[in-house]
Amino acid sequence: MFCLSKRQRKTRTLDSSLPPSSQIAEIPTPADNEDGTPLCSTCSALHLRTILHDGVPKEHAIPLGHLTDIFNKYDQCGLCRLLATTIRQTWLLDRMPGIDLTGITCVLYAEPCGYPKIQNKTLPVLRDICHRLSIETSSRPRDVYIAMVVGQSHLEPEIQLLEDHASEFGRTRELHGRRVSENVDIDLLKRWIHTCENEHRDICEKVWWRGPEDVLPESVRVVDVARMAIVPAPPTCRYVALSYVWGGSGEGYWTTKANLQQRSIPGGLDIDMLPGTISDTIQLVRQLDERYLWIDALCIVQDDSDDKAVQIGVMELIYGSSTFTV
């Protein structure tokens, strides 16, 4: 019913069939306790249905007791198990066995997330909000803080309701946790793009520092994923951009003076010789019914210093003019 929230990466589904080492767990609705999962006296007193519907301001955070007590009740209380799992994962405690957590206390609050009203030129678009459970601790060991910063872990642990159960708390599915499978949900991505383009409009499309004269130079190229060729970007081209880490040496797939002409004809760009990040992105762009894709390693001639200088000089415009960035 609940899932851990990781803003930098993906949301992980909570499933009680997995062992504790997986850092995943499922608990019942405390107000009903339908499946008989036991709750401790502290957790039984929480009105989670009200908390998730109405929220709890941070200044009125609810005390949960000492962190060590929550960890000690891991096998006795479903909610304590989820709280302990969330903190253990967010604090990266598996890397620091035996660290002293004595004296640390926890509180729980739930503030609204989302954008309930998006203004456009006609009528406001009403959106639901959600409340995510945030856990705040009285302190954090120095080694934990350093590990979290290095590991880019979200500093404040969060738990969110899965969208499957949002209606039980008087909320719509929007903004709540999703069960993430091995494959991306293409229909969901298409809905996101549609929402952005049809409801956000100028909020996403325009920036104050760019004027109508700021257009892509004619020398900018894109990958035509339908014809598998590198072509000059058509006027007012709608394209997707890729932002990624190159990794190791890429001379084998870079665009160079020697292979540019071959890659400019239909079928001239062999997808089988491209690294997984790039070939996966090409497949994704096709599934999203987009045609053009900008990738620096392919669209910039890597052994041409003049071409590099021009393309790098308009990098902000290239990313800023893309329909979206992968």
Side-chain angles (χ1 to χ4, degrees):
M1 180 165 292
F2 294 91
C3 62
L4 311 187
S5 176
K6 283 194 94 175
R7 289 182 177 173
Q8 291 92 345
R9 298 293 183 263
K10 65 181 181 181
T11 298
R12 305 183 69 179
T13 302
L14 302 188
D15 186 344
S16 58
S17 65
L18 297 174
S21 60
S22 66
Q23 300 182 357
I24 296 176
E26 185 167 325
I27 66 170
T29 307
D32 296 18
N33 204 19
E34 294 100 338
D35 66 358
T37 302
L39 297 176
C40 67
S41 58
T42 300
C43 295
S44 296
L46 296 174
H47 300 285
L48 277 187
R49 192 178 299 278
T50 302
I51 292 171
L52 287 167
H53 185 272
D54 300 333
V56 174
K58 191 172 185 178
E59 58 269 24
H60 297 147
I62 303 169
L64 297 175
H66 285 84
L67 180 57
T68 50
D69 291 338
I70 293 173
F71 274 69
N72 288 336
K73 292 185 289 184
Y74 183 94
D75 293 324
Q76 306 163 23
C77 172
L79 184 53
C80 285
R81 180 165 64 248
L82 180 57
L83 295 170
T85 299
T86 306
I87 294 174
R88 177 171 292 280
Q89 178 174 300
T90 309
W91 282 20
L92 308 173
L93 292 181
D94 287 346
R95 304 181 188 179
M96 295 170 281
I99 194 166
D100 185 11
L101 303 176
T102 304
I104 300 175
T105 58
C106 303
V107 296
L108 180 74
Y109 65 94
E111 294 186 327
C113 302
Y115 202 136
K117 184 179 293 185
I118 301 173
Q119 298 283 355
N120 61 24
K121 295 179 180 179
T122 56
L123 296 174
V125 178
L126 298 180
R127 289 284 176 213
D128 196 10
I129 60 173
C130 72
H131 293 93
R132 294 177 182 170
L133 306 180
S134 296
I135 308 165
E136 186 177 55
T137 56
S138 57
S139 62
R140 190 186 298 118
R142 183 173 181 274
D143 290 345
V144 168
Y145 179 78
I146 293 173
M148 292 173 70
V149 172
V150 172
Q152 296 184 324
S153 177
H154 182 42
L155 295 179
E156 198 154 278
E158 283 188 344
I159 300 169
Q160 58 177 301
L161 186 68
L162 283 174
E163 62 181 8
D164 307 33
H165 302 276
S167 61
E168 299 175 24
F169 294 80
R171 293 295 183 196
T172 63
R173 295 170 65 91
E174 287 183 318
L175 305 178
H176 292 88
R178 291 181 291 111
R179 297 186 184 274
V180 178
S181 64
E182 290 298 317
N183 298 314
V184 67
D185 185 342
I186 297 298
D187 289 336
L188 178 62
L189 297 187
K190 287 182 177 180
R191 290 199 300 271
W192 284 350
I193 295 168
H194 180 272
T195 297
C196 183
E197 294 183 329
N198 291 276
E199 296 180 8
H200 299 174
R201 299 180 184 260
D202 291 352
I203 296 175
C204 291
E205 291 179 0
K206 294 183 178 180
V207 290
W208 62 267
W209 64 81
R210 188 178 299 129
E213 71 282 357
D214 293 323
V215 295
L216 292 176
E218 294 181 357
S219 58
V220 171
R221 309 172 189 86
V222 289
V223 176
D224 183 334
V225 301
R227 303 172 68 194
M228 283 308 294
I230 297 174
V231 300
T236 63
C237 177
R238 177 187 173 94
Y239 65 95
V240 178
L242 172 64
S243 176
Y244 68 114
V245 178
W246 278 28
S249 177
E251 288 89 343
Y253 70 89
W254 289 347
T255 293
T256 62
K257 294 177 182 178
N259 63 26
L260 178 60
Q261 183 175 358
Q262 169 64 28
R263 293 183 170 190
S264 299
I265 62 176
L269 180 61
D270 183 5
I271 193 172
D272 292 332
M273 51 82 65
L274 300 175
T277 300
I278 293 179
S279 60
D280 285 351
T281 304
I282 290 173
Q283 299 288 4
L284 173 66
V285 170
R286 288 172 176 170
Q287 289 178 292
L288 291 173
D289 301 322
E290 302 289 346
R291 179 164 182 176
Y292 298 111
L293 172 64
W294 185 88
I295 305 173
D296 51 5
L298 302 183
C299 298
I300 300 175
V301 181
Q302 298 299 316
D303 58 353
D304 186 333
S305 57
D306 292 337
D307 189 66
K308 270 190 171 182
V310 173
Q311 310 290 341
I312 292 173
V314 293
M315 196 66 65
E316 183 273 333
L317 188 58
I318 289 174
Y319 279 107
S321 301
S322 66
T323 301
F324 58 88
T325 297
V326 177

